[in-house]
C-alpha cells in the first residue's frame, strides 16, 4: 500500500514502509519510543539522511511524532480506524434531497449537544480582535459605497498570496479571486471546469455541501475512496480515469473532511502529475489544510501545479470567522472563467467582508489563532475519539484526524445512521448521518461527530448516544 | 395602446386614453396646466371620482403631475422617447462573452466620467449612518462566529416584511429568504424555476447582469419589448406564451432597468393574472422599485400574487449600500428550492452584512435615504436628458425615467455603440453600450448613461461625447 505513494524503490520509502507495517501490526504501542536513527542506520546499513527521511515520511502520515532531544514516538492508536471500501466505478446522479440543509438548521439549536455541523468552537475564535478590525473598517468608512467586482480587493488578494507563500505555495496576487466563502469557490471551480451531464471524480466520503453543489449543477459523480491517513486512493482514481471521461477531480490532499486525512507531499505531487498528464483539472478543497493538528501545514496541491490545472479553494470559515463568508480561489488557467461566473452569479463578495478578512490575515493575527486552536482541537479530537470507543458498542471504529475537528465513526454494520440521527435529535444530540457524505448514500452505518467543542460538559450526551447506538 | 392596459371600457380609462392622446399629440406642452377636474366632469358628463381616477392613472404613467391647490400639469417632454421594437420571437442562446465584466471593471476608474455602471452617487449614500450601525454591530460582537444559514437572519427578514407591507405588499417574514444582493436573488429564482435548455421570456432591454446569469445557466431567451413608460408589452408576451413553452418570465413592472419605466398597477395586475392562468412563474426584478422619482412607489407584482408564482427579488444595492451585498427573495411556492440552491451555492450570506442591513431598514433611516435621493435623481435625470438632446446629433432620443438614475439613449441608426464605447473610454468617458442589454446583441445604436452623479462637472465630458457620436 505505502509504496504506491512514494517513488518505488527509493531507499527511505522502503524503510518507512517496513516501520509502518510494524506500527500498524502493533509492534509499537501508541506513545512507545521507536528505534533511534543511529540504531536504524546500523540495522539497515543506511545513511542518516535516508533514515531521517523515512521518519519524516511517517511523521507526515501522522504515524510517528518527533520529540526534540528525545527521538521518535508511535502515534498509531491500538484500535482500528474506519476503512472506506471501493464500490463499482459507475457514475451516478446525486440525490441528497434537502437533508443537508435540515441537518444544518436543526443543529443551530443551542440546546443540542454540538456534535452536528463542523463549525469551529466560537470560544476559540478571535472575536475580540475581529471586532476591533471591524470597528477600524467602520471608522475608515470603506467597503460599503461600491460594489466588489471580481477578482476582488487587492489588499485581500495580496494578503492571501503572502499566506500562500508562507505555506510553500508561492502565488501572485493577481492569480487569486476572492469569494464569498469556500463553498462559493468550489462551486465556481465546478462550473468553470464542468458542464451539466459530465462526470466528476471525488474523494469519498466528501463534505456534503460540495455534493449538494454537484447535484444542483447536474453533474454526475464517481466516488474514489479516501483513507483516514493517506487521503484519496490514487490507484482507484487512475482506474476511474482509464475507464471514464472525467471532467474534473475534487480532492482534499492537505486536509480532508470528514476523514481528517492528510495525504503527504509525495502523494499530493503524484496526484497533480497524474492529472496533469491527462489534462484533467484538479479542484482542491483546502478549507481544512491550515488546521493541521500537529502544526505541520502540508503545502496544497497547488504548490506542485506547473500547468495551471489546479484550482485551489480555501476560506477562513473553519479557522477564524465562519460568519465572515470570505474565501478565495487560485484557478490557474480557469481564472477568467471563474471571474466571469462569479460576476454573473452575484456580482462579487462584499468589500466590507474582504477588508475585515485582509485585516485578519495581515499582522500575524491569523497565525496566532491557528497556533492557539490547533493544539486545542488536537487534544479534543483524541479525547473524544477515546470517549467514543469507551461508550459505543464494540466493533465501532473512529478516526484520529490529522487535520480539522471532526471524527468519522463507523458503527457496527447493523446500525442505521439516519434512524440514529433522528433518535439522537429527540434526545437533544446533534450529529451528521454518514449517507450525507456520499452521492450514492453510502456510509449507512457511519456518523460524523464534530469535536470542536468537546469537553466534560458533553460527556453524558456522548454516553447516551453510545447507548442509543447499542440499542439499534 | 392604453386600453389594453386598463379594464377595457371602464369610463376612467377611456378618459385617460383621450387625455394621453392629447398629451402625446402635443396639445399640452410640458409644464402646461391641464383642464380642471370640474371642467372635465362637464365636458365628459362624468363623476368627479371618474375624472380623478383618470388623472391618477396618467400620474402613475408619469404623464401628468398633480400640484397641491393648483391642478394637473403636463409632464410629457416634447422630444420623442426611444421605442423598443419587437423582433421575431425565436429563442436564442445568450452570447455576451465577457464584455459586461470588462465594462464594470473599466468603469471603476475614478478618472473616467461616471456615465458607466448604474451605481448610486456615493455622496448620497448614508455612509455616516452605516458606519454607526457597523460600529454598533462590531461592539455587539454578533455576526462573525456562526454561518448564516438559509433562509437568513430573522431580524432582517422581519425588517424586509415590514418594508414590503409599507409598499402595499404584505408578506410574512417566513416567506422571505435573504441573499447576497439582488443578482443572487435573481440567479436563485432562475435556477429554482428553469432547467438548462429551457426558455425564459424577458423584458428587453434588460440589465446585463441577469443576461449573463441566464447565459451561464444555459437557458434560452425570448425578448419581449419594454416601453419607457409602460414596461413589458403584454401583447407580445401573450403571443410568445402562445407560441413557445416558456419556463419563466423575468420582468420589472415596478421599475425597469435600463429604460426606467413603471408599468402601473393595472398592467402589473394583468401581467400576474396572465401568468397565473398559465401557471408560469414570474421572476420580478424590483431592485429599482424604491427609486420612484416622483415618490410614488408602485407595489411590486408580488402584491397581486395569489398563487405563489411570483418570485419577488430586490436589494439595497441601488438605494443605500452597494457594497453591503444584501438582497432578498420572496419566492412563493419555490421557497424550499431557493433555500436549498442558496445553501448549495455558498451556504448563505454573511450574518454581519445582514445585521447591518437590518439596522438600515429599521428605525426609518432607509425611508429618509429614499426621500433624500429620489428628488436629487429626478432633477439629475431630467437635466442630463436635456443636456444629451442639446449635445448629441439630431435624431437622438432619450428616456425620461420614472424610476432609477439611468438614461437610455437611442442614437441615429448609423451610430455603432461599441465603437463609441471604445472611443469614449479613450477620451476619459465611461458608458455602457446598448448591445449588452440584449441576448441577441440588439440595440447597436443605443447607449445607457448613468445620471446618478450628473452635474456641471461632467457637462464638458457629455458635450465631448455628443461630438464623438456626431463624428461616427
Amino acid at each position: 500500500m505505502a509504496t504506491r505513494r512514494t517513488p518505488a524503490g527509493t531507499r527511505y520509502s522502503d524503510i518507512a514502509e517496513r516501520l509502518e507495517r510494524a506500527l500498524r501490526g502493533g509492534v509499537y504501542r501508541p506513545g512507545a519510543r521507536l528505534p533511534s536513527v543511529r540504531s536504524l542506520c546500523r540495522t539497515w546499513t543506511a545513511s542518516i539522511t535516508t533514515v531521517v527521511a523515512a521518519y519524516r515520511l511517517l511523521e507526515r502520515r501522522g504515524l510517528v511524532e518527533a520529540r526534540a532531544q528525545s527521538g521518535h514516538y508511535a502515534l498509531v492508536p491500538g484500535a482500528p480506524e474506519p476503512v472506506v471500501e471501493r464500490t463499482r466505478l459507475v457514475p451516478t446522479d446525486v440525490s441528497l434531497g434537502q437533508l443537508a440543509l435540515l441537518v444544518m438548521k436543526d443543529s443551530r439549536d443551542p440546546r443540542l449537544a454540538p456534535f452536528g455541523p463542523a463549525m469551529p468552537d466560537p470560544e476559540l475564535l478571535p472575536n475580540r480582535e475581529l471586532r476591533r478590525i471591524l470597528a477600524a473598517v467602520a471608522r475608515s468608512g470603506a467597503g460599503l459605497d461600491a460594489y466588489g467586482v471580481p477578482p476582488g480587493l487587492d489588499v485581500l488578494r495580496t494578503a492571501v498570496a503572502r499566506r500562500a507563500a508562507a505555506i510553500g505555495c508561492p502565488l501572485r496576487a493577481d492569480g487569486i479571486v476572492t469569494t464569498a466563502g469556500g463553498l462559493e469557490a468550489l462551486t465556481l471551480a465546478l462550473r468553470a471546469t464542468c458542464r451539466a451531464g459530465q462526470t466528476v471524480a471525488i474523494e469519498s466520503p466528501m463534505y456534503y455541501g460540495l455534493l449538494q453543489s454537484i447535484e444542483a449543477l447536474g453533474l454526475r459523480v464517481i466516488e474514489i475512496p479516501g483513507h483516514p491517513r493517506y487521503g484519496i486512493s490514487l490507484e482507484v482514481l487512475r482506474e476511474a480515469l482509464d475507464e471514464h471521461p472525467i471532467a474534473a477531480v475534487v480532492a482534499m490532499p492537505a486536509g480532508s473532511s470528514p476523514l481528517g486525512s492528510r495525504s503527504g507531499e509525495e502523494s499530493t505531487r503524484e496526484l497533480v502529475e497524474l492529472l496533469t498528464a491527462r489534462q484533467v483539472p484538479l479542484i482542491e478543497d483546502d478549507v481544512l489544510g491550515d488546521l493541521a493538528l500537529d502544526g505541520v501545514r502540508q503545502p496544497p496541491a497547488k504548490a506542485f501545479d506547473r500547468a495551471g490545472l489546479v484550482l485551489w479553494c480555501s476560506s477562513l470559515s473553519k479557522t477564524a470567522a465562519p460568519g465572515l463568508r470570505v474565501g478565495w480561489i487560485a484557478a490557474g488557467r480557469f481564472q477568467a472563467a471563474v471571474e466571469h461566473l462569479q460576476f454573473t452569479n452575484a456580482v462579487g463578495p462584499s468589500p466590507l467582508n474582504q477588508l475585515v478578512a485582509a485585516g485578519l490575515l495581515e499582522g500575524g493575527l491569523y497565525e496566532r489563532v491557528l497556533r492557539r486552536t490547533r493544539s486545542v482541537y488536537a487534544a479534543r479530537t483524541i479525547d473524544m475519539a477515546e470517549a467514543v470507543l469507551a461508550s459505543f458498542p464494540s466493533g465501532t471504529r473512529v478516526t484520529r484526524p490529522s487535520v480539522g475537528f471532526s471524527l468519522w465513526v463507523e458503527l457496527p454494520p447493523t446500525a442505521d445512521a439516519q434512524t440514529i440521527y433522528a433518535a439522537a435529535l429527540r434526545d437533544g444530540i446533534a450529529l451528521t448521518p454518514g449517507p450525507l457524505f456520499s452521492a450514492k448514500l453510502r456510509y449507512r452505518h457511519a456518523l460524523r461527530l464534530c469535536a470542536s467543542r468537546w469537553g466534560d460538559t458533553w460527556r453524558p450526551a456522548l454516553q447516551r448516544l453510545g447507548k442509543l447506538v447499542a440499542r439499534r
Side-chain angles (χ1 to χ4, degrees), chain A:
Chain A
M1 281 295 282
T3 45
R4 93 183 140 70
R5 215 160 275 98
T6 48
T10 58
R11 194 84 176 89
Y12 80 90
S13 67
D14 290 347
I15 295 175
E17 199 194 338
R18 278 166 196 263
L19 280 170
E20 180 169 345
R21 244 185 263 140
L23 282 158
R24 298 208 170 267
V27 175
Y28 306 102
R29 296 187 345 147
R33 188 164 181 278
L34 274 78
S36 70
V37 171
R38 193 167 300 275
S39 77
L40 281 182
C41 288
R42 278 196 304 271
T43 315
W44 297 96
T45 50
S47 72
I48 290 183
T49 327
T50 303
V51 174
V52 166
Y55 266 132
R56 283 230 181 98
L57 184 59
L58 294 174
E59 273 181 74
R60 277 195 300 266
R61 290 193 185 151
L63 295 169
V64 307
E65 175 188 38
R67 295 188 196 154
Q69 316 289 325
S70 170
H72 292 85
Y73 291 80
L75 279 180
V76 186
E81 291 192 298
V83 172
V84 177
E85 277 159 25
R86 56 181 298 170
T87 50
R88 283 179 56 223
L89 294 174
V90 178
T92 38
D93 295 324
V94 185
S95 56
L96 295 170
Q98 303 191 314
L99 184 59
L101 180 53
L102 288 178
V103 167
M104 194 92 178
K105 280 187 191 180
D106 282 348
S107 308
R108 297 196 72 197
D109 184 339
R111 293 162 304 184
L112 297 175
F115 311 150
M119 287 166 65
D121 182 355
E123 304 284 318
L124 296 177
L125 295 176
N127 290 316
R128 210 181 51 235
E129 295 95 327
L130 279 174
R131 282 207 297 277
R132 217 189 48 233
I133 294 170
L134 190 55
V137 172
R139 277 193 304 277
S140 79
L144 288 169
D145 63 351
Y147 285 108
V149 178
L153 295 193
D154 287 342
V155 58
L156 177 57
R157 300 164 76 210
T158 305
V160 169
R162 269 198 214 113
R163 169 81 199 142
I167 58 172
C169 180
L171 289 175
R172 290 163 51 104
D174 59 15
I176 289 158
V177 179
T178 65
T179 64
L183 184 53
E184 194 198 39
L186 292 164
T187 304
L188 291 170
L190 285 167
R191 292 181 67 191
T193 55
C194 307
R195 296 193 149 266
Q198 288 187 325
T199 299
V200 284
I202 62 170
E203 194 169 332
S204 177
M206 168 61 80
Y207 162 53
Y208 53 82
L210 189 91
L211 292 178
Q212 300 259 309
S213 182
I214 288 173
E215 178 186 12
L217 295 173
L219 302 174
R220 315 195 77 206
V221 158
I222 286 183
E223 299 193 15
I224 311 294
H227 183 283
R229 302 231 153 255
Y230 312 127
I232 192 168
S233 165
L234 296 185
E235 213 166 27
V236 182
L237 177 60
R238 194 173 282 117
E239 202 179 303
L241 289 162
D242 287 341
E243 288 175 13
H244 299 278
I246 305 265
V249 173
V250 185
M252 307 168 280
S256 79
S257 167
L259 287 181
S261 72
R262 188 171 48 186
S263 300
E265 274 189 47
E266 289 78 5
S267 169
T268 304
R269 193 191 299 270
E270 203 183 328
L271 171 64
V272 173
E273 282 165 7
L274 169 66
L275 295 182
T276 303
R278 296 169 191 242
Q279 293 289 297
V280 173
L282 171 62
I283 298 171
E284 177 177 29
D285 176 355
D286 192 33
V287 162
L288 283 185
D290 280 348
L291 283 182
L293 297 181
D294 57 4
V296 184
R297 208 297 180 196
Q298 180 188 303
K302 184 72 187 170
F304 310 112
D305 179 27
R306 300 284 163 269
L309 276 170
V310 178
L311 298 94
W312 178 50
C313 304
S314 191
S315 87
L316 300 172
S317 303
K318 297 294 179 193
T319 46
L324 198 56
R325 305 305 305 132
V326 171
W328 57 85
I329 178 169
R333 60 170 84 162
F334 301 96
Q335 175 159 342
V338 163
E339 287 186 32
H340 178 64
L341 288 164
Q342 184 183 48
F343 181 64
T344 66
N345 186 61
V347 186
S350 167
L352 172 65
N353 305 252
Q354 295 187 62
L355 287 172
V356 176
L360 174 68
L361 284 172
E362 287 163 352
L365 169 59
Y366 183 70
E367 269 300 336
R368 286 200 302 280
V369 172
L370 288 184
R371 274 199 298 276
R372 186 165 77 202
T373 51
R374 279 164 167 166
S375 58
V376 175
Y377 292 141
R380 288 181 184 171
T381 48
I382 287 175
D383 194 57
M384 190 175 179
E386 279 169 17
V388 166
L389 289 176
S391 314
F392 279 49
S394 75
T396 298
R397 296 173 172 213
V398 59
T399 50
R400 283 78 174 174
S402 305
V403 294
F405 39 65
S406 291
L407 301 180
W408 184 249
V409 183
E410 207 176 274
L411 307 173
T414 50
D416 177 69
Q418 274 176 264
T419 320
I420 290 166
Y421 162 69
L425 209 58
R426 282 193 299 273
D427 199 14
I429 301 165
L431 56 83
T432 313
L436 267 191
F437 297 88
S438 163
K440 298 177 201 290
L441 302 177
R442 303 171 62 195
Y443 314 124
R444 286 184 193 282
H445 55 284
L447 311 173
R448 185 190 68 182
L449 300 180
C450 176
S452 67
R453 291 166 66 188
W454 175 250
D456 285 338
T457 321
W458 305 114
R459 212 171 282 277
L462 192 76
Q463 284 162 350
R464 289 205 313 277
L465 182 59
K467 282 187 193 136
L468 197 155
V469 170
R471 277 201 304 273
R472 304 267 147 193

